């Protein structure tokens, strides 16, 4: 199934190279959103985009910039949701049904502090939930961005570089 997915993306982007930058932004953004990010195969997709950059089919620097912006935008929305909903998150689906998701995220965040945003960016399921947890635990905006910006940049580079 994943091979079919990759083949389809590769074919589409070869026929429409101008869409590569937009696609990189959308994938990076969606993969960083709470809950949605757990079902998006972003790391594999970003590697395919990296292959197209390596082949010279899409521009490398601008694709990297837009992937970074997408990842940061998704993280920022997750953080804002955590700040806004705060303890009410526990009463909202799916956290009401699966409270361990928040509990595990809180334990991870409490163990690693602000570093959890950088570490979590490279751990599949944590990628989309750590910013939400950071907001829930009342991390300050400035401290969040100090961790989120380098994590988004490094994520885009690391996942596109193999391509």
């Amino acid at each position: 199934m994943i091979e079919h997915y990759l083949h389809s993306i590769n074919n589409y982007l070869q026929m429409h190279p101008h869409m590569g930058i937009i696609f990189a932004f959308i994938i990076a953004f969606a993969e960083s959103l709470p809950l949605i990010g757990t079902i998006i195969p972003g790391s594999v997709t970003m590697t395919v985009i990296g292959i197209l950059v390596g082949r010279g089919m899409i521009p490398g620097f601008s694709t990297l910039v837009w992937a970074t912006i997408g990842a940061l935008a998704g993280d920022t929305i997750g953080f804002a949701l955590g700040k806004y909903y705060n303890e009410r998150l526990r009463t909202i689906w799916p956290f009401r049904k699966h409270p361990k998701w928040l509990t595990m995220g809180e334990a991870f965040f409490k163990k690693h502090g602000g570093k959890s945003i950088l570490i979590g960016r490279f751990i599949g399921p944590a990628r989309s939930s750590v910013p939400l947890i950071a907001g829930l635990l009342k991390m300050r905006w400035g401290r969040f961005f100090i961790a989120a910006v380098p994590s988004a940049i490094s994520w885009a580079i690391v996942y596109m570089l193999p391509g």
Side-chain angles (χ1 to χ4, degrees):
M1 180 174 144
I2 196 84
E3 291 172 16
H4 175 69
Y5 168 76
L6 292 174
H7 186 67
S8 298
I9 290 171
N10 189 28
N11 287 341
Y12 179 80
L13 291 177
Q14 282 182 2
M15 293 186 312
H16 305 92
H18 59 282
M19 295 298 290
I21 295 170
I22 296 167
F23 194 67
F25 172 84
I26 291 169
I27 290 298
F29 176 72
E31 189 184 51
S32 301
L33 291 172
L35 302 176
I36 294 169
T38 58
I39 60 171
I40 303 291
S43 41
V44 174
T45 306
M46 292 306 290
T47 302
V48 169
I49 290 170
I51 290 168
L52 296 176
V53 168
R55 290 181 182 171
M57 297 177 72
I58 57 177
F61 183 74
S62 56
T63 303
L64 181 67
V65 167
W66 281 103
T68 300
I69 291 169
L72 185 59
D75 283 353
T76 303
I77 288 172
F79 183 76
L81 289 172
K83 283 264 197 208
Y84 178 78
Y85 285 104
N86 204 280
E87 289 299 319
R88 289 178 292 173
L89 279 174
R90 300 178 196 292
T91 65
I92 299 171
W93 181 91
F95 303 117
R96 177 184 37 183
K97 186 174 181 180
H98 303 283
K100 66 182 180 289
W101 292 353
L102 288 178
T103 306
M104 289 170 34
E106 287 173 304
F108 181 78
F109 191 84
K110 286 177 182 174
K111 179 178 180 180
H112 299 289
K115 293 182 296 187
S116 63
I117 293 171
L118 182 60
I119 296 166
R121 166 64 60 189
F122 295 94
I123 300 172
R127 182 176 300 118
S128 62
S129 62
V130 168
L132 181 77
I133 300 295
L136 170 71
L137 295 177
K138 300 179 175 104
M139 182 181 218
R140 290 178 313 219
W141 278 100
R143 189 164 175 227
F144 167 74
F145 281 117
I146 286 171
V149 170
S151 79
I153 293 168
S154 59
W155 174 84
I157 291 169
V158 166
Y159 280 93
M160 286 175 57
L161 193 60

